[in-house]
Amino acid sequence: MAHFAALVGLGSYLPPRRVTNEELATMFDTSAEWIATRTGIRARHWAAPGVATSDLAVEAGHRALKSANLPLEPGAVDAVVLATTTPDHPCPATAPQVAARLGLGTVAAYDIAAVCSGFVYALATASAQITAGQARRVLVIGAETYSTILNPADRTTSVIFGDGAGAVVLRAVPDADRPGVILGVDLGSDGSRQDLITIPAGGSRERSTPGEPDPQDRYFTMQGKKVFAEAVNRMGESATALLDRVGWPAGSVDHLVGHQANIRILKALAQRLGLPEERAVVNVDRVGNTSAASIPLALSDAVAAGTLPSGSRVLLTAFGGGLTWGAAALTWPDLSAA
Ligand code: UT7
């Protein structure tokens, strides 16, 4: 029997420390006004020292399972997929630890490394596991602690990124027309432009190169202006390709949930797709750019605000380092976010 993958649970978690633009203006050569005007960001959350990505992922995962009415016990899900740029360690992956701490038993658990596109890649992979009949329920998490990789000497990246985690549960269902079913995904990459977003050191390239590494190379770097243009183009192309495949006219999308990197990118993307700006879901003002956690955090905020009614057409799209990008389409299910 054919199976389709439906979203049946949603949860999110932000570390308690809220960092305002005003606070950052006392730490960097910047102003609250520059940050708000150029990015739309007014505040973000940063994890306390000693808190790692798995800690946030466990909280969000717990809440998503609760939202899906699933217990914290072996058999609740068949796989845990965790998208992150900031794993607890270079080795092993963070997902197995999260699965164990959630009490989910000896399930398949693996990380996805697609930077800010990670959640869409993870959703695509989890959905494929279900449609292939390899899993009945999958917990998909996007979790980040960017505050641990930001360069205190780089005012541009330091004011943009925030920490947080969001998660969904996908479940096998028999009919494609049920709300929540992932109707299609589109994924892409361009590795020839990997230098636009990178942490230069910490991997085999640095370790196999003789000489002392530059400590600065351990931080996250981004060429913002070039990334901005690529983000609008690639998310626009990916979303358009997916809409064609799914058979939705662009104007029929009720909610555009784009990667929350910059309010100007979200507006340009809506315009490019021919959608009124109000159809773009926005929470970048409150959480900043949370990379792989961005889309599930935006979904959770919209559900909590009551602005994402069941039955509405939702288009997810993300762009990030790699370069990578992707899109996914679904009709919103009837659920409450935890
Ligand atoms: O998550 C993955 C995808 N990421 C993105 O999509 C991010 C895309 N990029 C962006 O959102 C924007 O490019 C940024 C927000 C990163 C930067 O905004 P921008 O409008 O592209 O600024 P810019 O880099 O062109 O810099 C404009 C000016 C420069 O000064 P000059 O050369 O004009 O004198 C910068 O030095 O703003 C200066 N600047 C700042 N000034 C105050 C850069 N960062 C800051 C800052 N505070 N924090």
PDB file of all heavy atoms in Angstrom, residues 29-31 34-35 38-39 115-116 155-156 159-161 197 222-228 231 259 261-262 264-265 289 291 319-321, ligand 1:
ATOM      1  N   ASP A  29      30.578  47.548  17.175  1.00  0.00           N
ATOM      2  CA  ASP A  29      30.527  48.844  16.513  1.00  0.00           C
ATOM      3  C   ASP A  29      29.316  48.854  15.575  1.00  0.00           C
ATOM      4  O   ASP A  29      29.437  48.686  14.360  1.00  0.00           O
ATOM      5  CB  ASP A  29      31.841  49.055  15.731  1.00  0.00           C
ATOM      6  CG  ASP A  29      31.816  50.354  14.958  1.00  0.00           C
ATOM      7  OD1 ASP A  29      30.995  51.237  15.288  1.00  0.00           O
ATOM      8  OD2 ASP A  29      32.618  50.481  14.013  1.00  0.00           O
ATOM      9  N   THR A  30      28.133  48.975  16.184  1.00  0.00           N
ATOM     10  CA  THR A  30      26.895  48.934  15.409  1.00  0.00           C
ATOM     11  C   THR A  30      25.847  49.767  16.139  1.00  0.00           C
ATOM     12  O   THR A  30      26.121  50.336  17.202  1.00  0.00           O
ATOM     13  CB  THR A  30      26.404  47.481  15.240  1.00  0.00           C
ATOM     14  OG1 THR A  30      25.305  47.460  14.329  1.00  0.00           O
ATOM     15  CG2 THR A  30      25.961  46.849  16.564  1.00  0.00           C
ATOM     16  N   SER A  31      24.640  49.860  15.562  1.00  0.00           N
ATOM     17  CA  SER A  31      23.560  50.552  16.258  1.00  0.00           C
ATOM     18  C   SER A  31      22.299  49.706  16.145  1.00  0.00           C
ATOM     19  O   SER A  31      22.132  48.937  15.185  1.00  0.00           O
ATOM     20  CB  SER A  31      23.310  51.930  15.628  1.00  0.00           C
ATOM     21  OG  SER A  31      22.779  51.755  14.337  1.00  0.00           O
ATOM     22  N   TRP A  34      20.681  50.367  12.822  1.00  0.00           N
ATOM     23  CA  TRP A  34      21.282  49.704  11.640  1.00  0.00           C
ATOM     24  C   TRP A  34      20.767  48.272  11.541  1.00  0.00           C
ATOM     25  O   TRP A  34      20.337  47.826  10.477  1.00  0.00           O
ATOM     26  CB  TRP A  34      22.817  49.707  11.712  1.00  0.00           C
ATOM     27  CG  TRP A  34      23.458  49.224  10.420  1.00  0.00           C
ATOM     28  CD1 TRP A  34      23.915  50.002   9.396  1.00  0.00           C
ATOM     29  CD2 TRP A  34      23.667  47.855  10.001  1.00  0.00           C
ATOM     30  NE1 TRP A  34      24.398  49.215   8.366  1.00  0.00           N
ATOM     31  CE2 TRP A  34      24.244  47.881   8.720  1.00  0.00           C
ATOM     32  CE3 TRP A  34      23.408  46.618  10.572  1.00  0.00           C
ATOM     33  CZ2 TRP A  34      24.600  46.736   8.003  1.00  0.00           C
ATOM     34  CZ3 TRP A  34      23.744  45.457   9.856  1.00  0.00           C
ATOM     35  CH2 TRP A  34      24.330  45.526   8.597  1.00  0.00           C
ATOM     36  N   ILE A  35      20.797  47.560  12.652  1.00  0.00           N
ATOM     37  CA  ILE A  35      20.398  46.143  12.623  1.00  0.00           C
ATOM     38  C   ILE A  35      18.925  46.029  12.206  1.00  0.00           C
ATOM     39  O   ILE A  35      18.572  45.237  11.331  1.00  0.00           O
ATOM     40  CB  ILE A  35      20.615  45.470  13.996  1.00  0.00           C
ATOM     41  CG1 ILE A  35      22.068  45.611  14.455  1.00  0.00           C
ATOM     42  CG2 ILE A  35      20.216  43.996  13.936  1.00  0.00           C
ATOM     43  CD1 ILE A  35      22.300  45.222  15.919  1.00  0.00           C
ATOM     44  N   ARG A  38      18.485  47.181   8.356  1.00  0.00           N
ATOM     45  CA  ARG A  38      19.109  46.355   7.316  1.00  0.00           C
ATOM     46  C   ARG A  38      18.628  44.906   7.356  1.00  0.00           C
ATOM     47  O   ARG A  38      18.776  44.188   6.370  1.00  0.00           O
ATOM     48  CB  ARG A  38      20.651  46.359   7.435  1.00  0.00           C
ATOM     49  CG  ARG A  38      21.321  47.720   7.374  1.00  0.00           C
ATOM     50  CD  ARG A  38      20.882  48.515   6.173  1.00  0.00           C
ATOM     51  NE  ARG A  38      21.227  47.905   4.898  1.00  0.00           N
ATOM     52  CZ  ARG A  38      20.689  48.264   3.736  1.00  0.00           C
ATOM     53  NH1 ARG A  38      19.785  49.219   3.678  1.00  0.00           N
ATOM     54  NH2 ARG A  38      21.058  47.669   2.625  1.00  0.00           N
ATOM     55  N   THR A  39      18.103  44.453   8.524  1.00  0.00           N
ATOM     56  CA  THR A  39      17.755  43.027   8.628  1.00  0.00           C
ATOM     57  C   THR A  39      16.324  42.763   9.089  1.00  0.00           C
ATOM     58  O   THR A  39      15.819  41.670   8.872  1.00  0.00           O
ATOM     59  CB  THR A  39      18.689  42.314   9.641  1.00  0.00           C
ATOM     60  OG1 THR A  39      18.366  42.775  10.962  1.00  0.00           O
ATOM     61  CG2 THR A  39      20.156  42.572   9.354  1.00  0.00           C
ATOM     62  N   VAL A 115      23.360  23.438   6.394  1.00  0.00           N
ATOM     63  CA  VAL A 115      23.367  24.798   6.955  1.00  0.00           C
ATOM     64  C   VAL A 115      21.912  25.314   7.050  1.00  0.00           C
ATOM     65  O   VAL A 115      21.068  24.606   7.580  1.00  0.00           O
ATOM     66  CB  VAL A 115      24.344  25.715   6.173  1.00  0.00           C
ATOM     67  CG1 VAL A 115      24.674  26.986   6.957  1.00  0.00           C
ATOM     68  CG2 VAL A 115      25.653  24.956   5.902  1.00  0.00           C
ATOM     69  N   CYS A 116      21.630  26.503   6.519  1.00  0.00           N
ATOM     70  CA  CYS A 116      20.291  27.081   6.740  1.00  0.00           C
ATOM     71  C   CYS A 116      19.185  26.345   5.968  1.00  0.00           C
ATOM     72  O   CYS A 116      18.004  26.550   6.239  1.00  0.00           O
ATOM     73  CB  CYS A 116      20.274  28.557   6.387  1.00  0.00           C
ATOM     74  SG  CYS A 116      21.432  29.514   7.367  1.00  0.00           S
ATOM     75  N   ARG A 155      31.150  42.144  13.200  1.00  0.00           N
ATOM     76  CA  ARG A 155      29.870  42.742  13.616  1.00  0.00           C
ATOM     77  C   ARG A 155      28.725  42.328  12.694  1.00  0.00           C
ATOM     78  O   ARG A 155      27.570  42.324  13.093  1.00  0.00           O
ATOM     79  CB  ARG A 155      29.987  44.270  13.649  1.00  0.00           C
ATOM     80  CG  ARG A 155      30.222  44.895  12.287  1.00  0.00           C
ATOM     81  CD  ARG A 155      30.261  46.400  12.358  1.00  0.00           C
ATOM     82  NE  ARG A 155      30.598  46.969  11.062  1.00  0.00           N
ATOM     83  CZ  ARG A 155      30.611  48.258  10.796  1.00  0.00           C
ATOM     84  NH1 ARG A 155      30.329  49.126  11.754  1.00  0.00           N
ATOM     85  NH2 ARG A 155      30.929  48.696   9.599  1.00  0.00           N
ATOM     86  N   THR A 156      29.049  41.995  11.441  1.00  0.00           N
ATOM     87  CA  THR A 156      27.952  41.680  10.514  1.00  0.00           C
ATOM     88  C   THR A 156      27.264  40.364  10.889  1.00  0.00           C
ATOM     89  O   THR A 156      26.040  40.316  11.023  1.00  0.00           O
ATOM     90  CB  THR A 156      28.463  41.613   9.061  1.00  0.00           C
ATOM     91  OG1 THR A 156      29.175  42.819   8.798  1.00  0.00           O
ATOM     92  CG2 THR A 156      27.315  41.501   8.092  1.00  0.00           C
ATOM     93  N   VAL A 159      25.476  40.137  14.711  1.00  0.00           N
ATOM     94  CA  VAL A 159      24.182  40.756  15.028  1.00  0.00           C
ATOM     95  C   VAL A 159      23.011  40.027  14.372  1.00  0.00           C
ATOM     96  O   VAL A 159      21.854  40.345  14.639  1.00  0.00           O
ATOM     97  CB  VAL A 159      24.148  42.256  14.619  1.00  0.00           C
ATOM     98  CG1 VAL A 159      25.280  43.011  15.292  1.00  0.00           C
ATOM     99  CG2 VAL A 159      24.168  42.441  13.112  1.00  0.00           C
ATOM    100  N   ILE A 160      23.300  39.075  13.515  1.00  0.00           N
ATOM    101  CA  ILE A 160      22.249  38.433  12.728  1.00  0.00           C
ATOM    102  C   ILE A 160      21.739  37.133  13.341  1.00  0.00           C
ATOM    103  O   ILE A 160      20.536  36.855  13.346  1.00  0.00           O
ATOM    104  CB  ILE A 160      22.775  38.125  11.307  1.00  0.00           C
ATOM    105  CG1 ILE A 160      23.044  39.418  10.547  1.00  0.00           C
ATOM    106  CG2 ILE A 160      21.806  37.266  10.536  1.00  0.00           C
ATOM    107  CD1 ILE A 160      23.644  39.178   9.187  1.00  0.00           C
ATOM    108  N   PHE A 161      22.680  36.314  13.830  1.00  0.00           N
ATOM    109  CA  PHE A 161      22.316  34.926  14.149  1.00  0.00           C
ATOM    110  C   PHE A 161      21.835  34.736  15.584  1.00  0.00           C
ATOM    111  O   PHE A 161      22.305  35.412  16.504  1.00  0.00           O
ATOM    112  CB  PHE A 161      23.483  33.991  13.844  1.00  0.00           C
ATOM    113  CG  PHE A 161      23.713  33.820  12.366  1.00  0.00           C
ATOM    114  CD1 PHE A 161      24.587  34.655  11.685  1.00  0.00           C
ATOM    115  CD2 PHE A 161      23.015  32.860  11.651  1.00  0.00           C
ATOM    116  CE1 PHE A 161      24.776  34.532  10.315  1.00  0.00           C
ATOM    117  CE2 PHE A 161      23.191  32.731  10.283  1.00  0.00           C
ATOM    118  CZ  PHE A 161      24.077  33.559   9.608  1.00  0.00           C
ATOM    119  N   ILE A 197      29.711  30.982   2.356  1.00  0.00           N
ATOM    120  CA  ILE A 197      29.326  30.726   3.753  1.00  0.00           C
ATOM    121  C   ILE A 197      30.196  29.567   4.223  1.00  0.00           C
ATOM    122  O   ILE A 197      30.073  28.452   3.690  1.00  0.00           O
ATOM    123  CB  ILE A 197      27.830  30.340   3.860  1.00  0.00           C
ATOM    124  CG1 ILE A 197      26.934  31.509   3.457  1.00  0.00           C
ATOM    125  CG2 ILE A 197      27.494  29.865   5.276  1.00  0.00           C
ATOM    126  CD1 ILE A 197      25.443  31.184   3.411  1.00  0.00           C
ATOM    127  N   MET A 222      30.538  34.762   6.401  1.00  0.00           N
ATOM    128  CA  MET A 222      29.519  34.874   5.342  1.00  0.00           C
ATOM    129  C   MET A 222      29.758  36.149   4.539  1.00  0.00           C
ATOM    130  O   MET A 222      29.992  37.211   5.113  1.00  0.00           O
ATOM    131  CB  MET A 222      28.118  34.922   5.971  1.00  0.00           C
ATOM    132  CG  MET A 222      27.011  35.110   4.947  1.00  0.00           C
ATOM    133  SD  MET A 222      25.370  34.943   5.668  1.00  0.00           S
ATOM    134  CE  MET A 222      25.227  36.472   6.560  1.00  0.00           C
ATOM    135  N   GLN A 223      29.692  36.026   3.213  1.00  0.00           N
ATOM    136  CA  GLN A 223      29.772  37.217   2.349  1.00  0.00           C
ATOM    137  C   GLN A 223      28.336  37.673   2.090  1.00  0.00           C
ATOM    138  O   GLN A 223      27.685  37.246   1.132  1.00  0.00           O
ATOM    139  CB  GLN A 223      30.503  36.878   1.064  1.00  0.00           C
ATOM    140  CG  GLN A 223      31.960  36.479   1.288  1.00  0.00           C
ATOM    141  CD  GLN A 223      32.695  36.207  -0.008  1.00  0.00           C
ATOM    142  OE1 GLN A 223      32.526  36.932  -0.990  1.00  0.00           O
ATOM    143  NE2 GLN A 223      33.518  35.178  -0.017  1.00  0.00           N
ATOM    144  N   GLY A 224      27.866  38.533   3.001  1.00  0.00           N
ATOM    145  CA  GLY A 224      26.441  38.855   3.093  1.00  0.00           C
ATOM    146  C   GLY A 224      25.783  39.331   1.817  1.00  0.00           C
ATOM    147  O   GLY A 224      24.707  38.851   1.462  1.00  0.00           O
ATOM    148  N   LYS A 225      26.422  40.257   1.115  1.00  0.00           N
ATOM    149  CA  LYS A 225      25.764  40.853  -0.059  1.00  0.00           C
ATOM    150  C   LYS A 225      25.542  39.822  -1.161  1.00  0.00           C
ATOM    151  O   LYS A 225      24.468  39.751  -1.758  1.00  0.00           O
ATOM    152  CB  LYS A 225      26.618  42.007  -0.577  1.00  0.00           C
ATOM    153  CG  LYS A 225      25.939  43.324  -0.342  1.00  0.00           C
ATOM    154  CD  LYS A 225      26.491  44.436  -1.178  1.00  0.00           C
ATOM    155  CE  LYS A 225      25.528  45.605  -1.200  1.00  0.00           C
ATOM    156  NZ  LYS A 225      24.799  45.843   0.049  1.00  0.00           N
ATOM    157  N   LYS A 226      26.588  39.012  -1.415  1.00  0.00           N
ATOM    158  CA  LYS A 226      26.466  37.982  -2.460  1.00  0.00           C
ATOM    159  C   LYS A 226      25.436  36.928  -2.043  1.00  0.00           C
ATOM    160  O   LYS A 226      24.664  36.429  -2.865  1.00  0.00           O
ATOM    161  CB  LYS A 226      27.816  37.317  -2.707  1.00  0.00           C
ATOM    162  CG  LYS A 226      28.805  38.229  -3.407  1.00  0.00           C
ATOM    163  CD  LYS A 226      30.119  37.522  -3.640  1.00  0.00           C
ATOM    164  CE  LYS A 226      31.121  38.489  -4.253  1.00  0.00           C
ATOM    165  NZ  LYS A 226      32.486  37.992  -4.179  1.00  0.00           N
ATOM    166  N   VAL A 227      25.434  36.593  -0.755  1.00  0.00           N
ATOM    167  CA  VAL A 227      24.492  35.591  -0.255  1.00  0.00           C
ATOM    168  C   VAL A 227      23.058  36.103  -0.392  1.00  0.00           C
ATOM    169  O   VAL A 227      22.145  35.350  -0.756  1.00  0.00           O
ATOM    170  CB  VAL A 227      24.815  35.239   1.216  1.00  0.00           C
ATOM    171  CG1 VAL A 227      23.693  34.432   1.845  1.00  0.00           C
ATOM    172  CG2 VAL A 227      26.120  34.462   1.297  1.00  0.00           C
ATOM    173  N   PHE A 228      22.863  37.367  -0.137  1.00  0.00           N
ATOM    174  CA  PHE A 228      21.530  37.980  -0.242  1.00  0.00           C
ATOM    175  C   PHE A 228      20.953  37.738  -1.636  1.00  0.00           C
ATOM    176  O   PHE A 228      19.833  37.230  -1.790  1.00  0.00           O
ATOM    177  CB  PHE A 228      21.651  39.488   0.049  1.00  0.00           C
ATOM    178  CG  PHE A 228      20.337  40.198   0.210  1.00  0.00           C
ATOM    179  CD1 PHE A 228      19.952  40.696   1.449  1.00  0.00           C
ATOM    180  CD2 PHE A 228      19.494  40.406  -0.865  1.00  0.00           C
ATOM    181  CE1 PHE A 228      18.740  41.366   1.609  1.00  0.00           C
ATOM    182  CE2 PHE A 228      18.286  41.075  -0.718  1.00  0.00           C
ATOM    183  CZ  PHE A 228      17.918  41.557   0.522  1.00  0.00           C
ATOM    184  N   ALA A 231      20.249  34.111  -2.312  1.00  0.00           N
ATOM    185  CA  ALA A 231      19.118  33.604  -1.521  1.00  0.00           C
ATOM    186  C   ALA A 231      17.798  33.902  -2.223  1.00  0.00           C
ATOM    187  O   ALA A 231      16.937  33.010  -2.365  1.00  0.00           O
ATOM    188  CB  ALA A 231      19.132  34.215  -0.121  1.00  0.00           C
ATOM    189  N   HIS A 259      13.016  30.913   4.789  1.00  0.00           N
ATOM    190  CA  HIS A 259      14.088  30.956   5.788  1.00  0.00           C
ATOM    191  C   HIS A 259      14.215  32.381   6.321  1.00  0.00           C
ATOM    192  O   HIS A 259      14.333  33.333   5.564  1.00  0.00           O
ATOM    193  CB  HIS A 259      15.402  30.501   5.146  1.00  0.00           C
ATOM    194  CG  HIS A 259      16.591  30.755   6.012  1.00  0.00           C
ATOM    195  ND1 HIS A 259      16.621  30.402   7.344  1.00  0.00           N
ATOM    196  CD2 HIS A 259      17.778  31.348   5.753  1.00  0.00           C
ATOM    197  CE1 HIS A 259      17.792  30.766   7.856  1.00  0.00           C
ATOM    198  NE2 HIS A 259      18.502  31.336   6.914  1.00  0.00           N
ATOM    199  N   ALA A 261      16.101  34.930   7.362  1.00  0.00           N
ATOM    200  CA  ALA A 261      17.465  35.479   7.404  1.00  0.00           C
ATOM    201  C   ALA A 261      17.427  36.993   7.475  1.00  0.00           C
ATOM    202  O   ALA A 261      18.253  37.603   8.155  1.00  0.00           O
ATOM    203  CB  ALA A 261      18.253  35.038   6.180  1.00  0.00           C
ATOM    204  N   ASN A 262      16.468  37.580   6.766  1.00  0.00           N
ATOM    205  CA  ASN A 262      16.452  39.038   6.632  1.00  0.00           C
ATOM    206  C   ASN A 262      15.064  39.420   6.104  1.00  0.00           C
ATOM    207  O   ASN A 262      14.609  38.827   5.117  1.00  0.00           O
ATOM    208  CB  ASN A 262      17.557  39.445   5.638  1.00  0.00           C
ATOM    209  CG  ASN A 262      17.750  40.938   5.565  1.00  0.00           C
ATOM    210  OD1 ASN A 262      16.785  41.704   5.538  1.00  0.00           O
ATOM    211  ND2 ASN A 262      18.997  41.369   5.515  1.00  0.00           N
ATOM    212  N   ARG A 264      14.210  41.837   4.426  1.00  0.00           N
ATOM    213  CA  ARG A 264      14.286  42.328   3.040  1.00  0.00           C
ATOM    214  C   ARG A 264      14.301  41.154   2.059  1.00  0.00           C
ATOM    215  O   ARG A 264      13.769  41.248   0.957  1.00  0.00           O
ATOM    216  CB  ARG A 264      15.509  43.230   2.854  1.00  0.00           C
ATOM    217  CG  ARG A 264      15.409  44.543   3.664  1.00  0.00           C
ATOM    218  CD  ARG A 264      16.571  45.472   3.347  1.00  0.00           C
ATOM    219  NE  ARG A 264      17.830  44.972   3.826  1.00  0.00           N
ATOM    220  CZ  ARG A 264      18.963  44.921   3.102  1.00  0.00           C
ATOM    221  NH1 ARG A 264      18.980  45.345   1.862  1.00  0.00           N
ATOM    222  NH2 ARG A 264      20.070  44.456   3.636  1.00  0.00           N
ATOM    223  N   ILE A 265      14.915  40.040   2.444  1.00  0.00           N
ATOM    224  CA  ILE A 265      14.917  38.845   1.586  1.00  0.00           C
ATOM    225  C   ILE A 265      13.491  38.288   1.494  1.00  0.00           C
ATOM    226  O   ILE A 265      13.021  37.922   0.411  1.00  0.00           O
ATOM    227  CB  ILE A 265      15.880  37.767   2.134  1.00  0.00           C
ATOM    228  CG1 ILE A 265      17.327  38.251   2.024  1.00  0.00           C
ATOM    229  CG2 ILE A 265      15.697  36.439   1.400  1.00  0.00           C
ATOM    230  CD1 ILE A 265      18.367  37.281   2.577  1.00  0.00           C
ATOM    231  N   ASN A 289      18.343  35.101  12.679  1.00  0.00           N
ATOM    232  CA  ASN A 289      18.569  33.983  11.760  1.00  0.00           C
ATOM    233  C   ASN A 289      18.990  32.770  12.584  1.00  0.00           C
ATOM    234  O   ASN A 289      20.081  32.744  13.152  1.00  0.00           O
ATOM    235  CB  ASN A 289      19.654  34.366  10.747  1.00  0.00           C
ATOM    236  CG  ASN A 289      19.895  33.285   9.707  1.00  0.00           C
ATOM    237  OD1 ASN A 289      19.564  32.129   9.913  1.00  0.00           O
ATOM    238  ND2 ASN A 289      20.492  33.676   8.598  1.00  0.00           N
ATOM    239  N   SER A 291      19.132  29.662  11.327  1.00  0.00           N
ATOM    240  CA  SER A 291      19.642  28.643  10.410  1.00  0.00           C
ATOM    241  C   SER A 291      18.692  27.441  10.303  1.00  0.00           C
ATOM    242  O   SER A 291      17.536  27.604   9.945  1.00  0.00           O
ATOM    243  CB  SER A 291      21.057  28.246  10.848  1.00  0.00           C
ATOM    244  OG  SER A 291      21.699  27.497   9.852  1.00  0.00           O
ATOM    245  N   PHE A 319      17.362  28.605   2.121  1.00  0.00           N
ATOM    246  CA  PHE A 319      18.626  28.768   1.384  1.00  0.00           C
ATOM    247  C   PHE A 319      19.750  28.861   2.400  1.00  0.00           C
ATOM    248  O   PHE A 319      19.580  29.470   3.463  1.00  0.00           O
ATOM    249  CB  PHE A 319      18.573  30.073   0.571  1.00  0.00           C
ATOM    250  CG  PHE A 319      19.897  30.401  -0.057  1.00  0.00           C
ATOM    251  CD1 PHE A 319      20.237  29.888  -1.304  1.00  0.00           C
ATOM    252  CD2 PHE A 319      20.822  31.200   0.611  1.00  0.00           C
ATOM    253  CE1 PHE A 319      21.469  30.157  -1.854  1.00  0.00           C
ATOM    254  CE2 PHE A 319      22.058  31.471   0.050  1.00  0.00           C
ATOM    255  CZ  PHE A 319      22.387  30.958  -1.181  1.00  0.00           C
ATOM    256  N   GLY A 320      20.891  28.272   2.069  1.00  0.00           N
ATOM    257  CA  GLY A 320      22.002  28.378   3.010  1.00  0.00           C
ATOM    258  C   GLY A 320      23.329  27.978   2.427  1.00  0.00           C
ATOM    259  O   GLY A 320      23.478  27.789   1.206  1.00  0.00           O
ATOM    260  N   GLY A 321      24.305  27.841   3.310  1.00  0.00           N
ATOM    261  CA  GLY A 321      25.660  27.492   2.899  1.00  0.00           C
ATOM    262  C   GLY A 321      25.681  26.169   2.164  1.00  0.00           C
ATOM    263  O   GLY A 321      24.823  25.305   2.324  1.00  0.00           O
TER     264      GLY A 321
HETATM  265  O1  UT7 B   1      21.283  32.176   6.493  1.00  0.00           O
HETATM  266  C1  UT7 B   1      21.878  31.954   5.242  1.00  0.00           C
HETATM  267  C2  UT7 B   1      21.481  33.004   4.343  1.00  0.00           C
HETATM  268  N1  UT7 B   1      21.936  34.268   4.842  1.00  0.00           N
HETATM  269  C3  UT7 B   1      21.434  35.354   4.345  1.00  0.00           C
HETATM  270  O2  UT7 B   1      20.547  35.248   3.552  1.00  0.00           O
HETATM  271  C4  UT7 B   1      22.040  36.675   4.718  1.00  0.00           C
HETATM  272  C5  UT7 B   1      22.037  37.570   3.518  1.00  0.00           C
HETATM  273  N2  UT7 B   1      22.681  38.868   3.707  1.00  0.00           N
HETATM  274  C6  UT7 B   1      22.152  39.849   4.431  1.00  0.00           C
HETATM  275  O3  UT7 B   1      21.141  39.703   5.091  1.00  0.00           O
HETATM  276  C7  UT7 B   1      22.814  41.201   4.363  1.00  0.00           C
HETATM  277  O4  UT7 B   1      23.759  41.197   3.307  1.00  0.00           O
HETATM  278  C8  UT7 B   1      23.514  41.609   5.684  1.00  0.00           C
HETATM  279  C9  UT7 B   1      22.468  41.903   6.728  1.00  0.00           C
HETATM  280  C10 UT7 B   1      24.439  40.502   6.139  1.00  0.00           C
HETATM  281  C11 UT7 B   1      24.322  42.884   5.475  1.00  0.00           C
HETATM  282  O5  UT7 B   1      23.477  43.909   4.973  1.00  0.00           O
HETATM  283  P1  UT7 B   1      23.904  44.734   3.680  1.00  0.00           P
HETATM  284  O6  UT7 B   1      22.863  45.718   3.459  1.00  0.00           O
HETATM  285  O7  UT7 B   1      24.173  43.747   2.572  1.00  0.00           O
HETATM  286  O8  UT7 B   1      25.204  45.434   4.185  1.00  0.00           O
HETATM  287  P2  UT7 B   1      26.671  45.419   3.555  1.00  0.00           P
HETATM  288  O9  UT7 B   1      27.359  44.162   3.906  1.00  0.00           O
HETATM  289  O10 UT7 B   1      26.629  45.840   2.128  1.00  0.00           O
HETATM  290  O11 UT7 B   1      27.284  46.619   4.368  1.00  0.00           O
HETATM  291  C12 UT7 B   1      26.776  47.942   4.218  1.00  0.00           C
HETATM  292  C13 UT7 B   1      27.543  48.831   5.193  1.00  0.00           C
HETATM  293  C14 UT7 B   1      29.043  48.624   5.128  1.00  0.00           C
HETATM  294  O12 UT7 B   1      29.665  49.884   5.346  1.00  0.00           O
HETATM  295  P3  UT7 B   1      30.218  50.753   4.107  1.00  0.00           P
HETATM  296  O13 UT7 B   1      31.231  49.891   3.437  1.00  0.00           O
HETATM  297  O14 UT7 B   1      29.018  51.046   3.257  1.00  0.00           O
HETATM  298  O15 UT7 B   1      30.786  51.954   4.796  1.00  0.00           O
HETATM  299  C15 UT7 B   1      29.320  47.705   6.278  1.00  0.00           C
HETATM  300  O16 UT7 B   1      30.630  47.835   6.783  1.00  0.00           O
HETATM  301  O17 UT7 B   1      27.145  48.486   6.523  1.00  0.00           O
HETATM  302  C16 UT7 B   1      28.312  48.201   7.290  1.00  0.00           C
HETATM  303  N3  UT7 B   1      27.954  47.199   8.297  1.00  0.00           N
HETATM  304  C17 UT7 B   1      27.471  47.537   9.497  1.00  0.00           C
HETATM  305  N4  UT7 B   1      27.236  48.741  10.060  1.00  0.00           N
HETATM  306  C18 UT7 B   1      26.733  48.736  11.318  1.00  0.00           C
HETATM  307  C19 UT7 B   1      28.010  45.861   8.197  1.00  0.00           C
HETATM  308  N5  UT7 B   1      27.573  45.304   9.349  1.00  0.00           N
HETATM  309  C20 UT7 B   1      27.238  46.331  10.169  1.00  0.00           C
HETATM  310  C21 UT7 B   1      26.726  46.402  11.471  1.00  0.00           C
HETATM  311  N6  UT7 B   1      26.485  47.622  12.002  1.00  0.00           N
HETATM  312  N7  UT7 B   1      26.441  45.302  12.202  1.00  0.00           N
END
